Amino acid sequence: MDFSPYTIKTPADIASDLKTSVRGLANGEVVRRRQQYGPNELASSELMWWHILWRQFTSPFIYLLIGAALLSFFLDEAINGAMIILFVLLNAGLGFYQEYHSEQTLKLLKQYVAPKVKVRRGGIDAIVLSRDLVPGDVIIVEAGDIIPADVRFFKDSDLLVNESVLTGESVQVSKTSKPLKEPARELYQGSNIGFSGTTIASGIGEGYVLAIGRGTAMGAISHLSTETVRTSTFEKGINKISTFILRLILVTLVFVFIANIAIKGRDTNIVELTVFSVALAVSVIPEALPIVTTFSLSRGALHLAKNKVVVKRLSAIEDLGGIEVLCSDKTGTLTENKLKVERIKTLTAHTGSERDAIRYASLASEFFTEKLTEENPNNAFDLALLEELSNEEKKSLDAYTMTNQVPFDPQRRRNSVLVKRGDAHELIVRGAPEAILPYCTNVDSQQTTKLSAWIASEGTLGCRVLAIAHKKLNQQHQYEIADEERGLSLDGILSFADPIKESTKQTVSQALHLGVHLKILTGDSREVAGAVAQKVGLITNPDDVITGDQLQAMSEARQREAVAQHAVFARISPEQKFHIIELLKQKFEVGFLGEGINDAPALKSANVGLVVHGASDIAREASDVILLEKSLGVIIDGITEGRKVFANTIKYIKATLASNFGNFFAVAIASLLIDFLPMLPLQILLLNLLSDFPMIAIAADTVDADELKKPRNYNVREIALLALVLGIVSTVFDFIFFAIYYRISPSVLQTNWFIGSILTELILLFSIRTKFFLTRAKRPASPLLWLSIAAAVITITLPCIGIGQSLFKFTAPHFHDILLIVGIVLCYLVITETVKLFYYRTFEPKVSRPQRA
């Protein structure tokens, strides 16, 4: 529903359009319209446990593993297939447990929007469920109510509405029932419209329901977020790696199969060759990758939970580590989301005159006129005044009695109160300076010029100002509006600001240190946004701000440049936030932190959507991560945790692919040169099993500080190139074993090659876990160290005992063979370290010295 045309119409015209009246609809008409328009609610699908379980299996890599398992069962390799299925089920179980637990936590946090509302039907006021509203209904709202539908006010009394959930504007908006002179195009311009989901801060209003459910402004935003489909950056990276592995396997297997038949001819045992080929294919697949990533992500989720962060989607942790741009509203994230008296400007420099200005401003506040408390604030300005008063000053207000008042009026741009103290009566006027200064007799033209300059300078600092004036009246005087417009004495002008959080500057600095650029997307004015951004160090010039209208007027190419170059965007609509995120995603990995209904599309569009506890339902549903503490600091922790997860996942991928490629190439080529299998299928499976457990432990490994300095992504070319280079090194050393032992007997070659292969894989794991020389890296995690030692002991011991010889067909190695294998492994370590260091210095010349954290 387009609310714009209703903003310039009179209440009578709107009643005519909606076929209603101030008495409301008749009950029969309500029933008819309910059938026509349906319930006043936003359709949302509940996430059930089976949805979360199914999500664990929707990955091309999982499909690859399941396919390999089925093929193994088909070829009577039951143990092989069972091990792969075990890995898949363990991964699914870990992922399901963590994500289901997160969803249950979110249900406890869920808040519901305006379940009931006061409605007038047939001239009778009644309380009904908000879902039962229909267009044309008349509703009555007052302080504390959440507006349940889009309404056009036809009656208002001191009506202030908090629209931060929609517009991001931290200060309450005054509403009027009068038609506007120009149609309102943006949400923040609709000063006679009450939008669904916003909250009445003070006053009373009556209005006609214009739209319900999906037809409201909130519904339009919800629809936009529902239509947006996000593909995780983590999933994209894993999919690329899966595709690469699958293509490499298919090409190599076809070559090996054809080459064996071509070389051996009729002597080829097709069944045995097929079984060998399947085992060889499985040996290349890093089947423990899902376990490693899920375990690593789960550890990250538990760590973040201790820091009051709830992760809905596990892979979002790693996506968080990869973000290059973090977009956020300023309200409550960079700032305290509450006003504070910043400065006081009076005609004299005396402290007493400043306190008088505070006292008179407080007498005209709701805390005095309505007798509200600090625990029940309705007006941000009044709460700031209350906090500014000392205890003595608060007690002094008790000597005054309010005898009359005129609430704030958007046309007059001021409010006034008549107070009595003893026999003295005083009229206090508070409001916009331009609505008060012309009526002050103690302000001459020169002072007006100076005050105007001060007000302008406060505006550039992002502050809002209130002027306070008073006059004495005699006891018999009848107070009229005209009294506000003559003979006033200016007490002062107060400047209010939303203070920057103490931790903000440090957090922004940390983000830049991590290579993350922060951008502000807010519904606030350009002056306020620019001032905040300058204070936290995002920009040097507070005028370096782009508004939504300015951005919209640009060409598509210029918009792409603008969103990349500028850090601050003001007066941004929900659609424009969404568009900015989409433009940024063309070049960067983007995170978005929001909380309002207006943030939902951008949250869904961003690579990682983050919301704070207390965010709107729509925003929470669109998000990946929920912050129970409203601070950028916890996001920085999340980014660091995500990069640790990424670093450990990459370690596993590089290590397992390099070792698997080495074995794959060596065994495939060896099968062409000898008339027996260089390693039995069961031995290949055991090799994978013994080497995989230490590799799985790498999920809990420590990470060099250098790995956390900047965002990284899955570069398939870099991963494949390093894996192939180190795989070739591994293949060369495999052939050294082959050359030494193949003439003795098949079982001797298979046994010693098996021992050498596992020991070299374990050594490779410790080498590849750092880009520096392995002795200069951070100490490996204890599970990794002890599991590697256990795997090495089992590898050397198993061929010497009965089960190894009977089940796996090993031959007990001689002591001099063990010494020779260890010597070859040490040579392999030296060569691998040399190749690795040469590779990183050639392809990553800017790698700095490691920092010990």
Side-chain angles (χ1 to χ4, degrees), residues 518-558:
L518 185 63
K519 294 183 186 290
I520 294 177
L521 278 58
T522 180
D524 255 330
S525 68
R526 65 176 301 146
E527 292 81 13
V528 172
V532 169
Q534 184 186 38
K535 288 177 183 176
V536 301
L538 279 182
I539 57 178
T540 55
N541 185 350
D543 294 326
D544 192 13
V545 179
I546 289 185
T547 65
D549 290 340
Q550 290 174 326
L551 185 68
Q552 200 163 337
M554 297 177 183
S555 64
E556 186 78 13
R558 182 70 190 92

Short mmCIF file of all heavy atoms in Angstrom, two decimals, residues 518-558:
data_model
loop_
_atom_site.label_atom_id
_atom_site.label_comp_id
_atom_site.label_asym_id
_atom_site.label_seq_id
_atom_site.Cartn_x
_atom_site.Cartn_y
_atom_site.Cartn_z
N LEU A 518 34.15 -0.21 8.16
CA LEU A 518 32.83 0.04 8.74
C LEU A 518 32.11 1.11 7.94
O LEU A 518 32.69 2.13 7.58
CB LEU A 518 32.99 0.47 10.19
CG LEU A 518 31.71 0.66 11.00
CD1 LEU A 518 30.97 -0.66 11.13
CD2 LEU A 518 32.03 1.23 12.37
N LYS A 519 30.83 0.87 7.67
CA LYS A 519 29.99 1.86 7.00
C LYS A 519 28.71 2.06 7.80
O LYS A 519 28.15 1.10 8.32
CB LYS A 519 29.65 1.43 5.58
CG LYS A 519 30.87 1.36 4.64
CD LYS A 519 30.47 1.00 3.22
CE LYS A 519 31.70 0.80 2.34
NZ LYS A 519 32.40 2.07 2.07
N ILE A 520 28.27 3.33 7.89
CA ILE A 520 27.04 3.66 8.62
C ILE A 520 25.91 3.84 7.61
O ILE A 520 26.02 4.64 6.68
CB ILE A 520 27.22 4.94 9.45
CG1 ILE A 520 28.23 4.72 10.57
CG2 ILE A 520 25.89 5.38 10.04
CD1 ILE A 520 28.53 5.96 11.39
N LEU A 521 24.83 3.09 7.80
CA LEU A 521 23.61 3.23 6.99
C LEU A 521 22.48 3.56 7.96
O LEU A 521 22.03 2.69 8.70
CB LEU A 521 23.29 1.92 6.25
CG LEU A 521 24.01 1.61 4.94
CD1 LEU A 521 25.52 1.58 5.11
CD2 LEU A 521 23.54 0.27 4.39
N THR A 522 22.04 4.81 7.96
CA THR A 522 21.09 5.23 8.98
C THR A 522 19.96 6.07 8.40
O THR A 522 20.10 6.68 7.34
CB THR A 522 21.82 6.04 10.08
OG1 THR A 522 20.88 6.45 11.07
CG2 THR A 522 22.48 7.28 9.50
N GLY A 523 18.85 6.08 9.12
CA GLY A 523 17.73 6.93 8.76
C GLY A 523 17.84 8.32 9.36
O GLY A 523 17.03 9.20 9.08
N ASP A 524 18.87 8.53 10.18
CA ASP A 524 19.08 9.83 10.81
C ASP A 524 19.48 10.89 9.78
O ASP A 524 19.82 10.57 8.63
CB ASP A 524 20.19 9.73 11.86
CG ASP A 524 19.63 9.74 13.27
OD1 ASP A 524 18.57 10.36 13.47
OD2 ASP A 524 20.23 9.13 14.17
N SER A 525 19.49 12.14 10.22
CA SER A 525 19.87 13.24 9.33
C SER A 525 21.35 13.16 9.00
O SER A 525 22.13 12.53 9.71
CB SER A 525 19.57 14.59 10.01
OG SER A 525 20.44 14.77 11.12
N ARG A 526 21.75 13.84 7.91
CA ARG A 526 23.14 13.81 7.48
C ARG A 526 24.05 14.48 8.51
O ARG A 526 25.20 14.09 8.68
CB ARG A 526 23.30 14.43 6.10
CG ARG A 526 22.99 15.91 6.00
CD ARG A 526 23.28 16.44 4.59
NE ARG A 526 24.68 16.23 4.25
CZ ARG A 526 25.11 15.95 3.03
NH1 ARG A 526 24.25 15.81 2.04
NH2 ARG A 526 26.39 15.81 2.79
N GLU A 527 23.52 15.52 9.20
CA GLU A 527 24.32 16.22 10.19
C GLU A 527 24.67 15.30 11.36
O GLU A 527 25.82 15.22 11.80
CB GLU A 527 23.58 17.46 10.70
CG GLU A 527 23.40 18.57 9.69
CD GLU A 527 22.23 18.31 8.75
OE1 GLU A 527 21.42 17.39 9.04
OE2 GLU A 527 22.12 19.01 7.72
N VAL A 528 23.65 14.59 11.86
CA VAL A 528 23.87 13.69 13.00
C VAL A 528 24.79 12.54 12.59
O VAL A 528 25.74 12.20 13.30
CB VAL A 528 22.53 13.15 13.52
CG1 VAL A 528 22.75 12.07 14.57
CG2 VAL A 528 21.69 14.28 14.11
N ALA A 529 24.51 11.92 11.44
CA ALA A 529 25.33 10.79 10.97
C ALA A 529 26.77 11.21 10.75
O ALA A 529 27.72 10.50 11.12
CB ALA A 529 24.73 10.22 9.69
N GLY A 530 26.97 12.39 10.13
CA GLY A 530 28.31 12.88 9.85
C GLY A 530 29.08 13.18 11.11
O GLY A 530 30.28 12.88 11.22
N ALA A 531 28.41 13.77 12.09
CA ALA A 531 29.08 14.11 13.34
C ALA A 531 29.52 12.86 14.09
O ALA A 531 30.64 12.79 14.61
CB ALA A 531 28.14 14.94 14.21
N VAL A 532 28.64 11.86 14.15
CA VAL A 532 28.99 10.61 14.84
C VAL A 532 30.16 9.92 14.14
O VAL A 532 31.10 9.47 14.79
CB VAL A 532 27.76 9.67 14.89
CG1 VAL A 532 28.18 8.27 15.34
CG2 VAL A 532 26.70 10.22 15.81
N ALA A 533 30.11 9.87 12.81
CA ALA A 533 31.17 9.20 12.05
C ALA A 533 32.52 9.89 12.25
O ALA A 533 33.56 9.23 12.33
CB ALA A 533 30.80 9.17 10.57
N GLN A 534 32.49 11.22 12.34
CA GLN A 534 33.74 11.96 12.56
C GLN A 534 34.29 11.68 13.96
O GLN A 534 35.50 11.49 14.14
CB GLN A 534 33.51 13.46 12.37
CG GLN A 534 34.80 14.28 12.48
CD GLN A 534 34.55 15.77 12.44
OE1 GLN A 534 33.57 16.25 13.00
NE2 GLN A 534 35.43 16.50 11.76
N LYS A 535 33.41 11.63 14.94
CA LYS A 535 33.85 11.40 16.32
C LYS A 535 34.50 10.03 16.50
O LYS A 535 35.43 9.87 17.29
CB LYS A 535 32.67 11.55 17.28
CG LYS A 535 32.20 12.98 17.46
CD LYS A 535 30.96 13.03 18.37
CE LYS A 535 30.43 14.46 18.50
NZ LYS A 535 29.18 14.51 19.31
N VAL A 536 33.99 9.02 15.78
CA VAL A 536 34.54 7.67 15.96
C VAL A 536 35.71 7.39 15.02
O VAL A 536 36.30 6.31 15.05
CB VAL A 536 33.45 6.59 15.77
CG1 VAL A 536 32.33 6.79 16.76
CG2 VAL A 536 32.93 6.57 14.34
N GLY A 537 36.02 8.37 14.16
CA GLY A 537 37.19 8.22 13.29
C GLY A 537 36.93 7.59 11.95
O GLY A 537 37.88 7.21 11.25
N LEU A 538 35.66 7.51 11.53
CA LEU A 538 35.36 6.93 10.22
C LEU A 538 35.64 7.91 9.09
O LEU A 538 36.05 7.52 8.00
CB LEU A 538 33.90 6.48 10.15
CG LEU A 538 33.56 5.12 10.77
CD1 LEU A 538 32.09 4.82 10.57
CD2 LEU A 538 34.41 4.02 10.18
N ILE A 539 35.36 9.18 9.33
CA ILE A 539 35.59 10.22 8.33
C ILE A 539 36.26 11.41 9.00
O ILE A 539 36.19 11.58 10.23
CB ILE A 539 34.28 10.67 7.65
CG1 ILE A 539 33.26 11.17 8.70
CG2 ILE A 539 33.68 9.55 6.81
CD1 ILE A 539 31.96 11.68 8.11
N THR A 540 36.92 12.24 8.20
CA THR A 540 37.58 13.44 8.74
C THR A 540 36.72 14.68 8.54
O THR A 540 36.81 15.63 9.31
CB THR A 540 38.94 13.66 8.07
OG1 THR A 540 38.77 13.70 6.65
CG2 THR A 540 39.89 12.51 8.43
N ASN A 541 35.86 14.65 7.52
CA ASN A 541 34.98 15.77 7.22
C ASN A 541 33.54 15.36 7.47
O ASN A 541 33.04 14.44 6.82
CB ASN A 541 35.16 16.21 5.76
CG ASN A 541 34.36 17.46 5.42
OD1 ASN A 541 33.52 17.92 6.20
ND2 ASN A 541 34.60 18.00 4.23
N PRO A 542 32.84 16.02 8.42
CA PRO A 542 31.46 15.61 8.73
C PRO A 542 30.48 15.80 7.57
O PRO A 542 29.37 15.29 7.62
CB PRO A 542 31.09 16.51 9.92
CG PRO A 542 32.00 17.67 9.82
CD PRO A 542 33.28 17.15 9.25
N ASP A 543 30.91 16.54 6.55
CA ASP A 543 30.04 16.74 5.38
C ASP A 543 30.19 15.61 4.35
O ASP A 543 29.47 15.59 3.34
CB ASP A 543 30.37 18.08 4.69
CG ASP A 543 30.02 19.27 5.58
OD1 ASP A 543 29.02 19.16 6.32
OD2 ASP A 543 30.74 20.28 5.53
N ASP A 544 31.11 14.70 4.60
CA ASP A 544 31.36 13.61 3.65
C ASP A 544 30.31 12.51 3.86
O ASP A 544 30.62 11.38 4.25
CB ASP A 544 32.76 13.06 3.86
CG ASP A 544 33.19 12.12 2.73
OD1 ASP A 544 32.50 12.11 1.69
OD2 ASP A 544 34.21 11.41 2.90
N VAL A 545 29.06 12.88 3.61
CA VAL A 545 27.92 12.00 3.83
C VAL A 545 27.03 12.02 2.59
O VAL A 545 26.82 13.07 1.99
CB VAL A 545 27.09 12.46 5.06
CG1 VAL A 545 25.87 11.55 5.26
CG2 VAL A 545 27.94 12.48 6.31
N ILE A 546 26.52 10.86 2.20
CA ILE A 546 25.60 10.77 1.06
C ILE A 546 24.21 10.43 1.59
O ILE A 546 24.06 9.53 2.43
CB ILE A 546 26.06 9.69 0.06
CG1 ILE A 546 27.31 10.16 -0.67
CG2 ILE A 546 24.97 9.37 -0.95
CD1 ILE A 546 27.76 9.20 -1.75
N THR A 547 23.21 11.14 1.12
CA THR A 547 21.83 10.84 1.52
C THR A 547 21.21 9.84 0.55
O THR A 547 21.72 9.65 -0.56
CB THR A 547 20.97 12.11 1.55
OG1 THR A 547 20.87 12.64 0.22
CG2 THR A 547 21.58 13.16 2.47
N GLY A 548 20.11 9.25 0.97
CA GLY A 548 19.42 8.29 0.11
C GLY A 548 18.96 8.92 -1.19
O GLY A 548 19.06 8.30 -2.27
N ASP A 549 18.47 10.15 -1.12
CA ASP A 549 18.01 10.83 -2.34
C ASP A 549 19.18 11.08 -3.30
O ASP A 549 19.03 10.93 -4.52
CB ASP A 549 17.34 12.16 -1.98
CG ASP A 549 16.00 11.96 -1.30
OD1 ASP A 549 15.43 10.86 -1.44
OD2 ASP A 549 15.54 12.90 -0.62
N GLN A 550 20.33 11.48 -2.76
CA GLN A 550 21.50 11.72 -3.61
C GLN A 550 21.95 10.43 -4.28
O GLN A 550 22.29 10.42 -5.47
CB GLN A 550 22.64 12.30 -2.77
CG GLN A 550 22.42 13.72 -2.30
CD GLN A 550 23.51 14.20 -1.36
OE1 GLN A 550 24.05 13.41 -0.57
NE2 GLN A 550 23.83 15.48 -1.41
N LEU A 551 21.96 9.35 -3.53
CA LEU A 551 22.38 8.06 -4.09
C LEU A 551 21.42 7.61 -5.18
O LEU A 551 21.84 7.11 -6.24
CB LEU A 551 22.46 7.02 -2.98
CG LEU A 551 23.00 5.64 -3.38
CD1 LEU A 551 24.48 5.73 -3.72
CD2 LEU A 551 22.78 4.63 -2.25
N GLN A 552 20.14 7.79 -4.94
CA GLN A 552 19.13 7.35 -5.89
C GLN A 552 19.21 8.13 -7.20
O GLN A 552 18.86 7.60 -8.27
CB GLN A 552 17.74 7.52 -5.28
CG GLN A 552 16.67 6.67 -5.95
CD GLN A 552 15.43 6.54 -5.09
OE1 GLN A 552 15.49 6.71 -3.87
NE2 GLN A 552 14.32 6.23 -5.71
N ALA A 553 19.68 9.37 -7.13
CA ALA A 553 19.77 10.20 -8.34
C ALA A 553 20.96 9.83 -9.22
O ALA A 553 21.05 10.28 -10.36
CB ALA A 553 19.85 11.68 -7.94
N MET A 554 21.88 9.01 -8.70
CA MET A 554 23.08 8.64 -9.46
C MET A 554 22.80 7.50 -10.44
O MET A 554 21.84 6.74 -10.28
CB MET A 554 24.19 8.19 -8.50
CG MET A 554 24.67 9.24 -7.54
SD MET A 554 25.92 8.53 -6.40
CE MET A 554 26.23 9.93 -5.34
N SER A 555 23.67 7.37 -11.42
CA SER A 555 23.60 6.23 -12.34
C SER A 555 24.08 4.99 -11.61
O SER A 555 24.71 5.08 -10.55
CB SER A 555 24.50 6.48 -13.56
OG SER A 555 25.86 6.55 -13.16
N GLU A 556 23.80 3.82 -12.16
CA GLU A 556 24.19 2.56 -11.53
C GLU A 556 25.71 2.48 -11.34
O GLU A 556 26.19 2.06 -10.29
CB GLU A 556 23.71 1.37 -12.37
CG GLU A 556 23.94 0.00 -11.75
CD GLU A 556 22.92 -0.35 -10.68
OE1 GLU A 556 21.88 0.35 -10.58
OE2 GLU A 556 23.16 -1.31 -9.94
N ALA A 557 26.46 2.90 -12.36
CA ALA A 557 27.92 2.85 -12.27
C ALA A 557 28.44 3.79 -11.19
O ALA A 557 29.34 3.44 -10.41
CB ALA A 557 28.53 3.23 -13.62
N ARG A 558 27.85 4.97 -11.12
CA ARG A 558 28.28 5.94 -10.10
C ARG A 558 27.88 5.46 -8.70
O ARG A 558 28.61 5.70 -7.72
CB ARG A 558 27.63 7.31 -10.39
CG ARG A 558 28.03 8.40 -9.43
CD ARG A 558 29.47 8.83 -9.61
NE ARG A 558 29.92 9.72 -8.54
CZ ARG A 558 30.51 9.32 -7.43
NH1 ARG A 558 30.78 8.03 -7.24
NH2 ARG A 558 30.89 10.20 -6.52
#
